[in-house]
Amino acid sequence: MAMNRIQFQRWMSLPQFFARYGSEEQCESALMDSTKLPLRTWFLAIFLVSQDKTGLSSLALMRHLGTTYRTAWLIHQKLMAAMARFDSDMPLHGTVQVDDAYLGGERPCTAGRGSPNKVPIVAAVQTNEEGHPLRVKLSPMATFSRQAIAQWSGPARTCCPAPTCAAMGWPALQE
């Protein structure tokens, strides 16, 4: 077998790889359009941005990729926009569990629901048949009133279809 620089699988040759996944010319889209970066750099950036738990900065991405800050920033912006677009286009489906939570509260203040430095959020988690989480969507809320929950769960909601949601705990979610 010939030397293959893109040898992801031992059993796949370069022509087989291109036949199955396409070549660099076929990968040009709005994401990778008009760039002179190799496809390997794009895939490394996609891996680094998507796998970092705390959010990868453009400066850290620049150091990993060995590019300029401007290039790393542009790649980071394009990847984040593509992920946000995918997330908004794909509603949760199947079994979805919905619950309320508060995010923040780093400064010492009033404990519990009345704390002014915490942001109320609604968390919706899609689970598989065994109950393991697959995807999550977090939505900030102004308050946890029935009116705010009704607006969140209205017809324009991209979270989940109403019949499959299982509300937990908060009474306003259980309608």
Side-chain angles (χ1 to χ4, degrees):
M1 182 165 45
M3 178 66 174
N4 184 354
R5 290 183 8 188
I6 314 173
Q7 190 75 37
F8 294 114
Q9 295 91 7
R10 292 182 184 267
W11 52 269
M12 188 178 292
S13 67
L14 190 58
Q16 290 171 332
F17 177 84
F18 285 149
R20 183 169 182 178
Y21 298 109
S23 63
E24 288 191 32
E25 292 81 25
Q26 294 169 329
C27 288
E28 290 182 1
S29 65
L31 184 65
M32 299 177 205
D33 194 24
S34 301
T35 62
K36 297 178 182 174
L37 290 174
L39 197 55
R40 184 178 294 218
T41 305
W42 275 102
F43 285 144
L44 178 60
I46 291 168
F47 173 77
L48 293 171
V49 169
S50 65
Q51 297 300 311
D52 195 72
K53 290 183 179 180
T54 58
L56 190 67
S57 68
S58 298
L59 186 62
L61 188 62
M62 175 193 78
R63 291 178 183 147
H64 285 292
L65 298 178
T67 62
T68 63
Y69 180 78
R70 184 177 179 197
T71 302
W73 181 86
L74 184 63
I75 291 171
H76 190 261
Q77 293 298 312
K78 284 186 172 187
L79 291 177
M80 296 303 285
M83 289 191 298
R85 192 169 44 249
F86 176 78
D87 190 45
S88 66
D89 292 344
M90 291 289 296
L92 301 179
H93 59 280
T95 304
V96 178
Q97 297 178 359
V98 181
D99 201 5
D100 65 318
Y102 284 89
L103 188 64
E106 290 86 16
R107 298 181 308 271
C109 195
T110 309
R113 293 187 181 271
S115 180
N117 61 348
K118 293 183 180 178
V119 177
I121 61 169
V122 172
V125 180
Q126 175 185 338
T127 58
N128 61 7
E129 294 80 24
E130 292 86 31
H132 299 286
L134 298 175
R135 293 178 50 222
V136 65
K137 287 201 178 190
L138 304 174
S139 303
M141 304 292 288
T143 62
F144 283 128
S145 65
R146 291 191 190 277
Q147 186 178 27
I149 298 297
Q151 183 180 7
W152 174 81
S153 62
R157 183 176 81 186
T158 60
C159 180
C160 58
T164 61
C165 284
M168 305 169 76
W170 191 241
L173 290 171
Q174 297 187 2
E175 286 189 350

